[in-house]
Amino acid sequence: MAVPAPVLTMSGIGKQFPGVKALDDVDLRLLPGEVHALMGENGAGKSTLIKVLTGVHPADAGTIELAGRTVAFGSPLEAQQAGISTVYQEVNLCPNLSVAENILLGREPRRLGRIDWRRMRARAHQLLARLDVRLDVSAPLSVYSLAVQQMVAIARAVDIDARVLILDEPTSSLDADEVQQLFRVMRRLKEEGIAILFVSHFLDQIYEISDRMTILRNGRLVGEYPTSELSQVELVAKMIGQELAALERLHGEAKTFDRPLVEARGLGRSGAIEPFSLTIHEGEVVGLAGLLGSGRTEVARLLFGADHAGSGELAIGGAPTSLRTPRAAMTHRIAFCSENRKEDGLVPDLTVRENIVLALQATRGWTRPVPRETQDDLVGKYVKALRISPPNPEIPVRNLSGGNQQKVVLARWLILEPRLLILDEPTRGIDVGAKAEIQRLVAELSDGGMAVLFISAELEEVLRLSHKVEVLRDRRLVAELPNDESLTTDVLLETIASGGRVS
Amino acid sequence: MRRLLWPAVVLVLLLALNIFFTPSFFSVQVRDGHLYGSLIDILRFGAPLILVSIGMTLVIATGGIDLSVGSVVAISGALACLQISEDAGLPMAVAAALGLCLVLGAWNGFLVAAVGIQPIIATLILMVAGRGLAQLITDGQIITINDPAYKVIGGGYWLTVPFGILVVIAVLGITAFLTRRLALGMLIESVGGNAEASRLAGIRARGIVIMVYASAALCAGVAGLMISSNVSSADGNNAGLWIELDAILAVVIGGTSLAGGRFSLSGTVLGALIIQTLTTTIYSIGVPPETTLLFKALVVTAVCLIQSPSFRAKAFRRRGRSAPTQPSPEERVLAGRGGTA
């Protein structure tokens, strides 16, 4: 089969940020009608490469050729007009506008200078139908789930006469069915001859949908491979630059837990989570399993005092207490790494160092600053231990990649040496290498006596780390399963699906 | 330090412009044991604005804004002058005035942090009501006083230096100590940068916000004493009129984003000095009175444009450098600025 001429060729791309060499001599070729996976760890330069391609950042070096013509886009708009559309990881739409407005924002059909609403709705309908999505296009976008919003974003992107569609982690918040729906759409667009650049951390998805892949590491090109010729193990090895030791179940022998740390009795909050009872012991890793929206985060927020419990009792270390604020939880040495690091975790303007010492400083109040030496020691220690990259604590945290930002939030809580660490999706949207590191860290911390409440959408991960698993469904805690030999992902899935009635 | 470059350049240019019209502009002499000269005048007359702007900087850094400082200036002067005219004594007068300002500021902070009213609305209440309060204190009249000790605050000298300048230096020093030596600055920037993340990191934002509004009112109170002392009278209607807008402008010119987060005290001082120098320049180069506001607006627009990296990039066709992806603070407020200067 003859290889068609690439629709897009990037060669020798280089990009320098203050303090970071983000890209160095990177090549990328996209063929028409292929799904091309862009692979790499956090901070490998995937997002930067996409931003250079779409005109968000100008390249410092290298050339971009689109359909044989050399181009340089000054803005995402120019890129879009040339046929390069992007759907970003975080949906960039206006939740207060209607679905139709979102899809056609900026290119509304007009008549006599006024917006032709009827044609606009019809056009939006038609575009969504192409993706097999049926919605009330005049409803505000905010009434739909994140997954549907993602579809709307894709509909918006492919409306433009797209030759290249970039999907930057479109699947990280979708469930299995929605992923399949997305893949159907991608296959159809592929048949139309559109080149799709696909970024995802889910290796299975990559192998299911992509034809070829380009791998980056530390801002450099590792290589370009047909997906069918590279095994998953080889891929991971190329991404992290070493062979990844197989991950066993991280807890060797069974431990007994007899010192309850946090005991919740009938704790609940109407509209968020039905009353639940839960005991977390010292040194115990408790996994929370359940679908998105099943109430996992709500349990965590109640235990951290981020939301007020409407009912029930809570005892910490045997003493009854009520957590009215996060600060109250922190005095009991409970820490909470939110799943939403952008909104609930980081202060993007502040430096990495300031973000890391923020919680420690908060516990001391503003009158007792953490001495600069102590700050530098602590920060240096955790930047090294968590391998935060780039290892420069004085750059604004927003310049870091997603996974490294996650590590910054984690470091913030670890320096407080909490007794209970609540981790809400700590490994979402980060690469395999960092994921394994964080998992290993959780196991180590719990061996050291710290209790961990571990929330993850990935059942395997929950299973690997937890001593017991709490299963949530429809905002209700439906089952508590000890993690012994008999517990498998299938059992967990079944429990989630049946709501605990079978077992 | 780079972000202070452009305000500094503008200030130097403005000062340099004066030399063409007033050859003696840069000369500073000691006359009758007092420092004397145009530069000293700029500092002396700019002192109230610098004070108000310092308080405003902290408020803006938390993501808020304080429109009431002008009214607080009037209230402070009014109460102090009333007390002095009733022979309460200088310490009592100053303490009463500043005490009331603290209470008013804490009230603003309470409305914003505890009740949850948007800062622009919460402080608008006191902006309007405060003028009424000031007139209530002065009974609708202009109180004139004759107290040499009170006169020192705005018009006096100490060791040849105008007293007002010393007050500014003291307030600036205290603020810099609290925010940069202690951890107040970082917590303010954190609350302004991401309020929810700060709450989840255990920061008690409420206390910080109330404190910040209280200190803004306190700064305005000191400025109010200075202004009324300078003219030995209290005018509830006109004292500190529109100073809040100049202060906001000074903060923005100094590089602090109206969106909150990072702030720069030295930038604010530069910003306030630019505004004061501009006012002085307008008089010294003889701009016709009916066009002064327009002239000021044009200069301020130019200043803001020159500070905007993306404008500079466009104007000077410099490409290939990494342009910021977000609009700079100057751009964000540019639209709503025209007439405030």
Side-chain angles (χ1 to χ4, degrees):
Chain A
M1 196 175 76
V3 177
V7 60
L8 179 92
T9 312
M10 299 175 83
S11 40
I13 300 294
K15 180 72 200 168
Q16 177 93 35
F17 287 117
V20 197
K21 183 128 194 156
L23 291 175
D24 185 14
D25 196 19
V26 172
D27 303 336
L28 177 73
R29 290 189 309 145
L30 294 184
L31 310 180
E34 73 162 343
V35 174
H36 192 102
L38 183 58
M39 304 297 295
E41 286 198 284
N42 296 309
K46 303 184 299 275
S47 298
T48 312
L49 187 64
I50 289 173
K51 283 181 177 158
V52 167
L53 173 57
T54 55
V56 177
H57 298 312
D60 294 341
T63 55
I64 305 176
E65 270 179 47
L66 183 66
R69 268 188 323 116
T70 303
V71 290
F73 303 120
S75 70
L77 184 68
E78 285 177 31
Q80 228 172 58
Q81 282 161 348
I84 300 180
S85 293
T86 316
V87 174
Y88 286 104
Q89 188 172 0
E90 276 113 7
V91 179
N92 285 318
L93 297 172
C94 308
N96 54 331
L97 297 184
S98 76
V99 171
E101 284 171 309
N102 267 298
I103 294 178
L104 294 163
L105 195 66
R107 23 174 224 278
E108 299 87 350
R110 284 159 201 272
R111 195 172 52 188
L112 301 174
R114 289 169 51 237
I115 292 173
D116 185 345
W117 291 102
R118 186 192 303 261
R119 256 201 325 162
M120 182 147 152
R121 283 191 294 270
R123 178 94 186 107
H125 228 279
Q126 183 191 342
L127 285 165
L128 285 168
R130 183 175 171 194
L131 311 190
D132 271 338
V133 181
R134 282 173 225 301
L135 307 174
D136 174 5
V137 295
S138 35
L141 185 72
S142 56
V143 306
Y144 294 109
S145 68
L146 208 60
V148 174
Q149 296 187 13
Q150 190 93 58
M151 296 292 174
V152 172
I154 293 173
R156 173 179 168 78
V158 297
D159 169 39
I160 307 154
D161 198 14
R163 278 187 283 188
V164 175
L165 175 65
I166 301 167
L167 299 174
D168 190 357
E169 292 199 41
T171 55
S172 55
S173 48
L174 304 190
D175 67 28
D177 281 348
E178 290 163 336
V179 169
Q180 284 312 316
Q181 191 180 359
L182 174 70
F183 283 179
R184 271 201 304 279
V185 170
M186 284 169 69
R187 290 193 185 100
R188 194 170 317 169
L189 294 172
K190 189 172 130 174
E191 281 163 22
E192 292 177 16
I194 295 177
I196 299 175
L197 186 64
F198 181 61
V199 180
S200 169
H201 285 300
F202 299 100
L203 298 187
D204 290 340
Q205 294 177 2
I206 297 291
Y207 276 84
E208 182 179 347
I209 191 75
S210 74
D211 305 304
R212 296 188 314 131
M213 60 175 75
T214 293
I215 304 174
L216 303 181
R217 187 169 70 230
N218 295 331
R220 288 167 168 277
L221 179 71
V222 176
E224 184 194 275
Y225 308 91
T227 308
S228 54
E229 290 173 18
L230 196 69
S231 75
Q232 291 210 15
V233 175
E234 285 170 322
L235 167 62
V236 171
K238 288 194 190 311
M239 279 166 61
I240 64 176
Q242 63 193 37
E243 296 288 336
L244 185 69
L247 282 166
E248 297 296 313
R249 190 171 286 213
L250 285 161
H251 294 289
E253 69 269 37
K255 289 198 274 185
T256 49
F257 302 102
D258 45 8
R259 295 171 63 179
L261 179 65
V262 174
E263 295 164 277
R265 295 276 164 271
L267 205 64
R269 176 181 163 87
S270 69
I273 181 87
E274 297 288 318
F276 63 91
S277 295
L278 170 65
T279 304
I280 303 172
H281 299 85
E282 282 177 24
E284 188 177 37
V285 180
V286 178
L288 285 189
L291 299 173
L292 203 73
S294 61
R296 301 177 314 209
T297 299
E298 286 75 5
V299 168
R301 288 180 67 92
L302 283 190
L303 293 179
F304 186 61
D307 294 325
H308 291 240
S311 62
E313 289 156 20
L314 187 68
I316 295 172
T321 180
S322 70
L323 300 175
R324 301 191 57 79
T325 60
R327 183 60 174 277
M330 283 164 66
T331 57
H332 291 289
R333 293 177 53 200
I334 297 175
F336 173 49
C337 262
S338 161
E339 82 181 304
N340 200 340
R341 60 180 171 254
K342 205 165 132 192
E343 265 122 56
D344 299 342
L346 295 165
V347 185
D349 274 355
L350 297 190
T351 62
V352 171
R353 171 178 58 81
E354 288 169 317
N355 268 287
I356 290 179
V357 298
L358 195 60
L360 178 63
Q361 185 63 64
T363 59
R364 296 167 64 106
W366 63 269
T367 51
R368 291 191 303 141
V370 182
R372 186 56 193 263
E373 265 177 39
T374 317
Q375 288 189 26
D376 288 341
D377 282 356
L378 283 170
V379 170
K381 183 173 142 201
Y382 280 97
V383 164
K384 207 168 160 199
L386 299 177
R387 293 203 274 140
I388 293 172
S389 155
N392 174 3
E394 298 306 323
I395 58 174
V397 79
R398 65 158 158 244
N399 290 3
L400 268 59
S401 69
N404 283 300
Q405 292 182 346
Q406 184 69 53
K407 292 180 192 169
V408 168
V409 179
L410 194 58
R412 172 192 297 170
W413 293 112
L414 290 179
I415 61 174
L416 290 183
E417 297 174 353
R419 287 195 293 176
L420 170 62
L421 177 62
I422 303 171
L423 296 172
D424 193 355
E425 297 274 13
T427 60
R428 189 175 80 176
I430 71 174
D431 57 77
V432 272
K435 199 176 258 185
E437 274 170 48
I438 287 179
Q439 291 174 354
R440 211 167 277 137
L441 189 74
V442 168
E444 275 172 28
L445 291 171
S446 80
D447 287 343
M450 189 187 292
V452 179
L453 185 66
F454 188 83
I455 304 175
S456 174
E458 287 182 46
L459 296 180
E460 252 180 50
E461 191 177 56
V462 172
L463 211 55
R464 192 182 301 137
L465 287 171
S466 311
H467 298 110
K468 70 181 179 199
V469 181
E470 310 286 329
V471 179
L472 289 150
R473 180 190 146 106
D474 299 338
R475 303 187 177 278
R476 192 188 294 272
L477 201 159
V478 291
E480 176 175 306
L481 307 170
N483 192 359
D484 49 29
E485 300 299 311
S486 64
L487 192 62
T488 61
T489 48
D490 290 342
V491 176
L492 269 181
L493 272 175
E494 204 168 300
T495 315
I496 291 169
S498 67
R501 282 181 294 259
V502 176
S503 55
Chain B
M1 286 305 100
R2 261 187 78 95
R3 60 180 179 175
L4 293 184
L5 177 68
W6 285 102
V9 166
V10 169
L11 182 59
V12 169
L13 283 180
L14 267 178
L15 289 171
L17 180 66
N18 278 279
I19 202 101
F20 296 110
F21 297 88
T22 321
S24 65
F25 190 77
F26 284 97
S27 78
V28 175
Q29 316 160 340
V30 180
R31 213 180 272 179
D32 306 334
H34 299 157
L35 278 178
Y36 183 87
S38 300
L39 293 180
I40 301 297
D41 281 348
I42 288 174
L43 285 173
R44 191 155 72 98
F45 296 126
L49 178 60
I50 297 176
L51 283 176
V52 173
S53 304
I54 289 171
M56 187 70 79
T57 307
L58 301 186
V59 171
I60 287 179
T62 63
I65 200 149
D66 190 346
L67 296 183
S68 71
V69 285
S71 296
V72 173
V73 163
I75 291 170
S76 160
L79 188 59
C81 288
L82 179 73
Q83 295 273 319
I84 285 173
S85 71
E86 289 173 352
D87 293 325
L90 182 67
M92 180 61 206
V94 169
L98 296 185
L100 179 61
C101 292
L102 267 181
V103 171
L104 292 172
W107 167 252
N108 276 337
F110 173 79
L111 289 183
V112 172
V115 185
I117 303 179
Q118 287 189 358
I120 196 165
I121 301 300
T123 57
L124 190 65
I125 297 172
L126 186 59
M127 176 187 179
V128 176
R131 288 275 161 208
L133 185 58
Q135 290 182 42
L136 213 59
I137 294 172
T138 61
D139 210 8
Q141 309 293 314
I142 294 179
I143 301 181
T144 318
I145 54 167
N146 187 11
D147 183 329
Y150 188 66
K151 182 81 184 165
V152 169
I153 300 175
Y157 289 82
W158 191 62
L159 296 177
T160 77
V161 184
F163 194 73
I165 297 178
L166 296 173
V167 172
V168 166
I169 291 171
V171 170
L172 193 62
I174 293 169
T175 313
F177 174 79
L178 292 180
T179 54
R180 295 306 183 202
R181 276 295 173 162
L182 302 185
L184 188 60
M186 187 178 114
L187 297 190
I188 287 174
E189 286 173 339
S190 171
V191 169
N194 187 340
E196 180 60 10
S198 304
R199 186 179 82 94
L200 291 177
I203 295 173
R204 293 199 176 109
R206 189 175 295 184
I208 287 177
V209 169
I210 291 177
M211 189 158 67
V212 158
Y213 279 89
S215 64
L218 188 65
C219 287
V222 176
L225 296 181
M226 233 177 241
I227 290 172
S228 69
S229 146
N230 212 9
V231 293
S232 287
S233 67
D235 179 351
N237 239 338
N238 290 313
L241 197 62
W242 307 133
I243 200 173
E244 61 276 355
L245 300 180
D246 275 349
I248 293 167
L249 189 57
V251 172
V252 173
I253 290 178
T256 300
S257 163
L258 277 184
R262 286 284 187 208
F263 68 88
S264 162
L265 286 175
S266 33
T268 294
V269 173
L270 278 179
L273 286 176
I274 287 174
I275 293 173
Q276 188 58 43
T277 308
L278 185 56
T279 310
T280 308
T281 308
I282 284 172
Y283 291 127
S284 70
I285 69 178
V287 175
E290 62 274 16
T291 55
T292 51
L293 285 179
L294 185 63
F295 180 81
K296 210 169 161 184
L298 289 176
V299 173
V300 165
T301 308
V303 169
C304 293
L305 283 178
I306 224 169
Q307 277 197 64
S308 151
S310 59
F311 175 81
R312 287 203 305 273
K314 277 195 190 104
F316 304 120
R317 293 255 160 239
R318 288 193 318 188
R319 302 202 59 166
R321 297 186 65 176
S322 71
T325 50
Q326 289 184 332
S328 65
E330 298 83 28
E331 289 171 291
R332 273 183 231 160
V333 294
L334 208 61
R337 169 166 299 148
T340 70

